[in-house]
């Protein structure tokens, strides 16, 4: 395959330095930046797991929430919650020092819970041969190499099903993928 006489410059997602990536998928300038980013992702996953555990401890029948519980459930920072309470946009009840309570019913109506908003509806895909392409059919239809088709399927996490010697891929997913490219 011929190469062009140009270089691509990218900005490292971790440190912000400009670098020439060795591959098109490179995001980091050095392995050290990649390790730092990985560590940050792992810490974020751990924090999210802890947050989810704390949310599960809060009974759903509880009518009034503390500010800390509202922070966890709705993903709003403490400063923003207190500012909204001061402005009067969130009704609150103050039963004494550190005893501010928020109506769960009001919060549910006006804020979407953070953990609910991330859930996506999963489509049920049919792997019947009439609803699927084989890799060869995709390659012929879109004029691409078989290896490129496999790379695109892996990169975009498209589900496949192998029956005998053939790998079947849902037509709807492939049409969406190559329509967008």
């Amino acid at each position: 395959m011929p190469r062009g006489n140009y270089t691509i410059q990218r900005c490292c997602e971790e440190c912000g330095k400009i670098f020439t990536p060795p591959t098109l998928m490179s995001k980091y300038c050095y392995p050290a930046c990649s390790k730092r980013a990985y560590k940050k992702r792992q810490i974020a996953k751990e924090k999210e797991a802890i947050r989810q555990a704390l949310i599960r401890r809060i009974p759903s029948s509880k009518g009034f929430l503390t500010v800390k519980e509202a922070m966890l459930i709705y993903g709003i920072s403490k400063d923003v919650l207190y500012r909204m309470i001061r402005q009067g946009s969130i009704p609150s009840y103050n039963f004494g020092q550190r005893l501010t309570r928020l109506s769960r019913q009001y919060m549910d109506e006006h804020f979407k819970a953070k953990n609910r908003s991330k859930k996506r509806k999963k489509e049920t895909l049919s792997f019947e041969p009439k609803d699927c392409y084989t890799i060869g059919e995709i390659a012929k239809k879109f004029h691409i190499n078989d290896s490129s088709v496999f790379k695109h399927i892996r990169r975009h996490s498209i589900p496949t099903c192998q029956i005998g010697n053939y790998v079947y891929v849902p037509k709807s997913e492939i049409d969406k993928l190559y329509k967008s490219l």
Side-chain angles (χ1 to χ4, degrees), residues 13-166:
E13 290 184 7
E14 181 61 27
C15 66
K17 291 181 184 175
I18 302 295
F19 71 103
T20 304
T23 67
L24 290 175
M25 301 303 288
S26 297
K27 297 179 182 180
Y28 308 107
C29 57
Y30 292 108
C33 287
S34 177
K35 288 177 184 176
R36 273 194 304 260
Y38 175 77
K39 184 74 170 173
K40 285 181 181 178
R41 285 192 307 269
Q42 294 305 313
I43 290 170
K45 280 182 186 177
E46 289 172 8
K47 285 182 179 180
E48 182 61 22
I50 291 169
R51 184 181 148 292
Q52 290 298 327
L54 290 172
I55 288 173
R56 282 191 294 273
R57 286 175 150 182
I58 302 169
S60 60
S61 61
K62 192 172 184 180
F64 291 92
L65 301 170
T66 64
V67 173
K68 185 175 181 179
E69 291 169 344
M71 285 171 37
L72 288 171
I73 294 172
Y74 302 104
I76 302 170
S77 74
K78 180 172 65 172
D79 296 334
V80 171
L81 276 173
Y82 278 119
R83 184 178 338 116
M84 293 174 85
I85 290 169
R86 274 193 308 275
Q87 292 172 348
S89 57
I90 296 178
S92 65
Y93 306 96
N94 195 354
F95 298 113
Q97 189 176 7
R98 294 184 182 214
L99 292 174
T100 302
R101 300 292 184 257
L102 307 170
S103 168
R104 186 173 196 143
Q105 182 180 3
Y106 179 86
M107 296 295 284
D108 283 340
E109 290 172 4
H110 291 84
F111 299 99
K112 291 182 180 176
K114 191 172 181 181
N115 57 355
R116 283 191 226 153
S117 64
K118 285 190 176 181
K119 290 183 182 176
R120 283 195 240 158
K121 294 180 182 176
K122 288 190 176 181
E123 295 178 17
T124 55
L125 297 172
S126 171
F127 285 102
E128 296 293 323
K130 63 180 179 169
D131 298 329
C132 295
Y133 291 125
T134 62
I135 301 299
E137 290 172 347
I138 297 169
K140 284 181 186 174
K141 182 174 181 177
F142 296 102
H143 308 291
I144 307 173
N145 288 337
D146 292 350
S147 60
S148 297
V149 172
F150 276 113
K151 285 180 186 175
H152 292 151
I153 289 171
R154 272 188 305 235
R155 184 176 298 147
H156 295 282
S157 302
I158 297 174
T160 60
C161 177
Q162 183 167 357
I163 301 173
N165 291 335
Y166 297 101

